[in-house]
């Protein structure tokens, strides 16, 4: 199997990192992108054997971009570091990329109960996915936070968003470039610890605004 690096954007996830890193299957190497944590996340990740890079520019997109540029493997996956996603799902997500039947593989989340995904966020995700479907001409079910592609191809997309609009921009740029996009069902559990973005009304609003701006651009 080709080498795969897993980019883990991280902002104060010290409680979740042990289980997240332990969930990664053999052959999937973690690359933790510390986005200004002050809870010891970087130190925890290093103590568990993960490569850690610092990304002083705040924002989900900034962390993803820093991880992509620091990665060395031909295939990369992105996964949240909050414990909501299971690394055991990565082989199924990456399989279409390794088999060259798809150019971008994104997850479609199956929440494990209401605690994993509030109805407000689920409704917002559905609306935004519908907008993305109309924009790209591809039936999008979820703006999933777990995705995989070939590293050089992603760099060639020249993505610019450095905030929460990054996943939407990725899908739009990939569709515009004629990429084959597939969606893979994965489990979705309650995150470990308090959410810094979608866990607050203001944070959720900003994330939705960023995604809408990316779709409309």
């Amino acid at each position: 199997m080709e080498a795969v690096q897993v980019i883990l954007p991280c902002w104060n996830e010290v409680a979740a990192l042990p289980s997240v890193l332990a969930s990664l299957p053999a052959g999937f190497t973690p690359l933790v992108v510390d986005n200004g944590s002050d809870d010891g996340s970087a130190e925890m990740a290093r103590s568990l054997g993960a490569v850690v890079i610092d990304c002083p520019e705040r924002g989900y997109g900034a962390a993803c971009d820093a991880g992509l540029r620091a990665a060395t493997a031909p295939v990369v996956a992105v996964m949240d570091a909050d414990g909501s996603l299971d690394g055991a799902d990565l082989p199924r997500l990456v399989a279409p990329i390794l088999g060259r039947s798809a150019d971008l593989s994104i997850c479609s989340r199956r929440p494990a109960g209401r605690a994993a995904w509030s109805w407000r966020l689920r409704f917002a995700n559905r609306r935004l996915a519908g907008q993305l479907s109309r924009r790209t001409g591809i039936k999008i079910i979820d703006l999933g936070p777990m995705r995989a592609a070939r590293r050089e191809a992603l760099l060639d997309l020249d993505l610019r968003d450095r905030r929460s609009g990054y996943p939407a921009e990725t899908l739009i740029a990939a569709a515009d470039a004629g990429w084959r996009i597939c969606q893979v069902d994965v489990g979705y559990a309650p995150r470990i610890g308090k959410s810094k973005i979608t866990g607050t009304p203001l944070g959720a609003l900003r994330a939705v605004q960023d995604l809408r701006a990316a779709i409309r651009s």
Side-chain angles (χ1 to χ4, degrees):
M1 187 182 80
E2 289 183 76
V4 179
Q5 276 180 295
V6 184
I7 298 169
L8 295 159
C10 175
W11 180 26
N12 288 343
E13 303 292 1
V14 69
L17 279 170
S19 59
V20 170
L21 294 174
S23 76
L24 301 186
F28 290 79
T29 304
L31 178 59
V32 176
V33 184
D34 187 61
N35 202 204
S37 299
D38 59 9
D39 68 343
S41 289
E43 293 78 9
M44 171 64 77
R46 289 190 181 97
S47 74
L48 294 170
V51 174
V52 179
I53 65 167
D54 294 324
C55 176
E57 180 184 0
R58 283 291 180 88
Y60 177 77
C64 289
D65 181 72
L68 183 62
R69 295 183 186 281
T72 56
V75 175
V76 295
V78 179
M79 187 176 94
D80 285 353
D82 62 7
S84 60
L85 296 163
D86 188 349
D89 287 323
L90 284 167
R92 290 190 300 107
L93 184 86
V94 171
I97 308 302
L98 297 178
R100 297 187 181 274
S101 61
D103 304 301
L104 175 65
S105 179
I106 63 174
C107 77
S108 175
R109 291 169 285 182
R110 298 188 315 272
R114 294 180 181 178
W117 205 0
S118 73
W119 70 266
R120 292 180 181 85
L121 292 177
R122 201 179 306 187
F123 176 76
N125 181 77
R126 189 179 302 120
R127 290 288 299 273
L128 290 167
Q131 292 176 26
L132 265 177
S133 297
R134 291 188 290 274
R135 169 63 177 80
T136 63
I138 300 169
K139 178 62 176 177
I140 303 297
I141 300 172
D142 183 11
L143 282 73
M146 181 189 276
R147 55 195 175 277
R150 294 193 173 273
R151 175 179 176 270
E152 291 296 336
L154 279 174
L155 287 171
D156 288 343
L157 291 180
D158 194 27
L159 302 173
R160 298 291 182 174
D161 195 292
R162 295 297 178 261
R163 293 177 27 153
S164 299
Y166 189 89
E169 185 191 16
T170 302
L171 279 166
I172 291 169
D176 288 350
W179 284 23
R180 298 162 298 166
I181 300 173
C182 71
Q183 297 169 88
V184 176
D185 285 349
V186 303
Y188 192 55
R191 61 161 290 127
I192 298 172
K194 182 180 179 181
S195 174
K196 281 78 68 180
I197 301 176
T198 56
T200 66
L202 181 58
L205 176 61
R206 286 175 175 167
V208 170
Q209 289 174 335
D210 286 347
L211 288 163
R212 283 178 175 165
I215 292 170
R216 292 169 180 167
S217 63

